[in-house]
Amino acid sequence: MKTRLLALGFLSPALIAVFFFFLLPVLLTVVFAFTNMSTSTGIMGGAYQINSTQMGNLHDAEVSSETIEKLESAGYRITEAGLAALAEEFSEDTAEQLREDFMAETFEARRDLESVLRNLDTPIRNTRDRKAAADLFVSTVLGTRFATAEAFRASLEETRIDPADHDALTEFAYTGWIWTSGNFSLLMELPSTLRYAANTAFYVVCTLAFNILFGLFLAISTFYLPGKLANTFRAIWFLPRILPPVLYVLMWNWFTWDQGFIATVTGWFGVPQQNWMLHTSTHAWTAVILINGFVGASLGMILFSSAIKAIPTSMLYASEVDGANRWQQVRYIILPQMRWPILFMTSYQTLSLLTSFEYILLATDGGPGRSTEVWALAAYHTALNNYAGNLQYGLGAAYALALVFIGIALSILYLKFFNFKELLSKPRIEQ
């Protein structure tokens, strides 16, 4: 028992880190995906408010035309709150006379109330003052912020809104977030969804093929080189992996911008200067795939090189005795024993490419014209950085959650395709 407690004590920092930096973000992503949370709703709940700019959407909320007309035309009602403000700003006698003669009375137009204020025993003679006094009795819910649903409903009753529309108006006026599955329905309806999915599939397939094939090529080609020369080449090709992404992409920008290396060299042959990364979508995709491809291929090179070195040299020597050339060694000895490393790199790189977007963000930011906008970058733009100013946390989380399910499905397919059980089973000689 003491041993277990001691082990748990040693593991507790790691368990806490796993919870806060892995499990908690995943759980919050799932929670946010089923809300309409955004900067307009806030994250701590909301109030109840209808602005004049929202009036055009009330028809979609199944609110009657009579109610909409009442909301649009501000009425004036004599209330205790308005009388108290009138007594403080103007005259107590004026407020008292209004209380005695017109308490709870409603005026459809401001000029009617101004006429009353002008004809009192203690009138308000200045025109500007009468307008200001009349505004103290404005009776409308438009533009007014209510902290609770009860206060909002009470205001609807005071303005004599049809009770049949109270529920619809209360739901429409709520500015906070609600639980909903509408984010996923919206993803199915948005025309950009299919485009982002196609961009992601193209990006993952092309970059993954480059990563695996070029990584294998580097590993096999350096395997047959002398030791020092092989290590030198591996160190050079590993640079994209160890360089900070900002610096790495900055080098590509210098290489491809309209006054960069490529534009300067091609200018010697009369080619007009252009940004070779963003000139067309084809240029952008080429740059994106190469930028990410060299990073992934460098990791593949290291892993594949280690796997090749683990192959018993006696097998290679025996094949040479039998007259096998190097291509035959690669085809019949090296590649068959690379299934596990290739499975790992394929699965790891697929999941990594599905969720990574930092190199695309730094290089093209999804451009030109959102032609390189992949699913993960769309989630980032939607939830954390868009031009409209309203960050949609719930919709962005729905984007991210969809990637989780896609990643799980692809992992299962890879395990089936590479026959994972056979790879982990004991050798037949040991069975």
Side-chain angles (χ1 to χ4, degrees), residues 214-254:
F214 193 60
L216 268 175
F217 170 77
L218 292 175
I220 293 171
S221 58
T222 54
F223 174 71
Y224 286 106
L225 291 176
K228 291 184 178 180
L229 186 59
N231 291 333
T232 300
F233 273 105
R234 291 186 188 119
I236 293 173
W237 283 109
F238 198 64
L239 284 176
R241 168 65 59 173
I242 62 177
L243 282 175
V246 174
L247 179 59
Y248 177 57
V249 176
L250 185 62
M251 294 173 61
W252 275 91
N253 287 337
W254 170 84

Side-chain angles (χ1 to χ4, degrees), residues 159-195:
T159 53
R160 299 183 180 180
I161 297 297
D162 186 356
D165 292 326
H166 284 194
D167 291 338
L169 286 172
T170 303
E171 182 179 352
F172 180 83
Y174 185 57
T175 62
W177 59 270
I178 59 173
W179 297 104
T180 178
S181 59
N183 292 322
F184 299 97
S185 301
L186 184 59
L187 285 182
M188 299 298 293
E189 296 171 2
L190 287 173
S192 57
T193 300
L194 184 60
R195 182 179 184 181

Side-chain angles (χ1 to χ4, degrees), residues 195-333:
R195 182 179 184 181
Y196 296 154
N199 286 348
T200 304
F202 179 78
Y203 165 67
V204 170
V205 170
C206 293
T207 309
L208 181 64
F210 185 92
N211 289 349
I212 301 301
L213 296 177
F214 193 60
L216 268 175
F217 170 77
L218 292 175
I220 293 171
S221 58
T222 54
F223 174 71
Y224 286 106
L225 291 176
K228 291 184 178 180
L229 186 59
N231 291 333
T232 300
F233 273 105
R234 291 186 188 119
I236 293 173
W237 283 109
F238 198 64
L239 284 176
R241 168 65 59 173
I242 62 177
L243 282 175
V246 174
L247 179 59
Y248 177 57
V249 176
L250 185 62
M251 294 173 61
W252 275 91
N253 287 337
W254 170 84
F255 192 68
T256 59
W257 66 7
D258 53 3
Q259 294 182 346
F261 179 80
I262 296 179
T264 301
V265 173
T266 55
W268 297 341
F269 301 96
V271 178
Q273 287 188 333
Q274 56 183 292
N275 188 322
W276 286 88
M277 183 184 291
L278 297 175
H279 184 63
T280 64
S281 59
T282 302
H283 289 178
W285 273 120
T286 302
V288 165
I289 291 171
L290 289 177
I291 289 172
N292 288 273
F294 285 129
V295 173
S298 61
L299 177 63
M301 174 194 66
I302 297 299
L303 189 138
F304 294 147
S305 295
S306 301
I308 293 174
K309 287 185 177 180
I311 298 174
T313 55
S314 57
M315 297 179 65
L316 298 174
Y317 292 151
S319 67
E320 290 179 356
V321 171
D322 291 338
N325 56 34
R326 289 184 175 178
W327 166 246
Q328 290 171 328
Q329 286 181 341
V330 171
R331 171 67 178 83
Y332 296 104
I333 298 177

Side-chain angles (χ1 to χ4, degrees), residues 70 77 104-106 155-163 166:
K70 274 190 177 182
R77 182 180 176 83
E105 189 166 335
T106 301
S155 180
L156 293 179
E157 292 178 1
E158 288 180 2
T159 53
R160 299 183 180 180
I161 297 297
D162 186 356
H166 284 194

